[in-house]
Amino acid sequence: AAGPVPGAEITLEANPETVTPERLAAFRRAGVNRLSLGIQTARDDSLARLGRRHTAAQSRRALGMAVQAGFTDISGDLMLALPAYTMAELDETIALLAESGCTHISGYLLKIEPNTVFGKRPPEALPGDDAAANFYLAAVEKLAALGYAQYEISNFARPGFESRHNRIYWDCGDYLGLGPAAHSCMGGKRFATPAGTAAFLAAPAVYEPQGECTAEDYIMLQLRLSRGLSLSALRARYGVSFSSEKLRFLQTLAEHGLAVFDGSVLRLTPRGMLVQNSILCELV
């Protein structure tokens, strides 16, 4: 059988407690060249509260095994603003990721979803919005100081290690998802396969239409990127231009330090990214 295209980015996601040298060597042989590990935090009590099954020591060990197995492209997940979170916990987690060979870091603020354990019984000592914003801005700054440039609202990378598959999503490019509950977009049209492994295995894949990738989607996704939204690209792709009123709004954002706007590209600053939803409400 034909293998993957040479130079393709092939990412495997794993939790630290599931990683072994044998498994990693086998994945390398199968063509996997990028590893994403759900590290989350360097504090064991926080991991236990999140219901994670690994410890910080296992995280460090898993990252060490990945380096030993020859992975040079390693991403680690960093959860911010956890219950009873402190700058010390942030510093310890960033140190663990940076010292153990991560070339890419995805940082997320804890979001309480309905119908989850935390949704039904919210944990105590959750940081408020202002504290969460401060942790996010501190993470952006601390990661930049260590050579991880922010290239997207939640993603940071050493030069050349930006995730290529994520870039396709944010640029409204073509991607094909395979498997139960997988989402795809081709030629600006979105579609998905239903959830459920048994049904997926029993019959040919069913693709359900999910609408089109619109100008609004493009604006939202491009503003997630540090390089920002090109007004000429928006016009070329969707025939959409901002009114003079909206252009004035962009100037106001820039005056308040929420964006950088040179008349042709709108880039949100980290502070602007925190209020991206409010900015989008004005724009679309």
Side-chain angles (χ1 to χ4, degrees), residues 218-236:
Y218 185 72
I219 292 167
M220 175 189 76
L221 292 164
Q222 291 289 288
L223 286 180
R224 291 181 65 94
L225 294 169
S226 299
R227 65 149 206 254
L229 168 72
S230 158
L231 300 195
S232 59
L234 177 66
R235 200 162 46 244

Side-chain angles (χ1 to χ4, degrees), residues 13-212:
E13 293 200 12
N15 287 331
E17 74 276 15
T18 63
V19 166
T20 65
E22 297 73 27
R23 278 182 170 178
L24 289 173
F27 285 129
R28 291 279 299 152
R29 285 196 299 276
V32 175
N33 53 18
R34 185 173 181 271
L35 191 64
S36 176
L37 287 169
I39 306 294
Q40 316 309 353
T41 168
R43 292 267 173 103
D44 288 349
D45 55 341
S46 282
L47 288 165
R49 266 198 297 272
L50 286 173
R52 294 283 170 169
R53 296 196 171 98
H54 68 275
T55 61
Q58 281 175 306
S59 290
R60 206 168 255 116
R61 219 166 25 245
L63 286 164
M65 286 183 223
V67 172
Q68 281 301 117
F71 282 97
T72 54
D73 199 342
I74 303 171
S75 182
D77 286 348
L78 161 69
M79 288 291 290
L80 300 162
L82 298 172
Y85 205 67
T86 59
M87 282 296 176
E89 182 168 356
L90 174 61
D91 287 336
E92 284 166 37
T93 308
I94 288 176
L96 188 156
L97 295 165
E99 289 163 11
S100 304
C102 286
T103 48
H104 183 284
I105 293 171
S106 296
Y108 305 101
L109 290 166
L110 179 66
K111 193 165 171 238
I112 308 289
E113 298 285 3
N115 301 323
T116 61
V117 175
F118 279 180
K120 295 186 181 97
R121 296 213 353 246
E124 286 178 23
L126 263 181
D129 288 349
D130 287 351
N134 287 338
F135 287 126
Y136 174 78
L137 295 173
V140 173
E141 213 167 284
K142 290 169 189 284
L143 289 168
L146 289 168
Y148 298 93
Q150 183 178 33
Y151 69 98
E152 193 267 347
I153 198 165
S154 302
N155 287 278
F156 308 81
R158 296 197 188 278
F161 288 98
E162 297 83 2
S163 163
R164 279 152 51 196
H165 76 269
N166 280 348
R167 288 302 270 270
I168 292 172
Y169 303 151
W170 298 317
D171 285 338
C172 286
D174 288 351
Y175 55 89
L176 181 64
L178 302 171
H183 283 246
S184 307
C185 184
M186 290 280 172
K189 296 204 180 334
R190 302 182 189 281
F191 50 95
T193 46
T197 310
F200 182 83
L201 293 174
V206 178
Y207 289 108
E208 297 173 344
Q210 299 279 314
E212 298 193 5

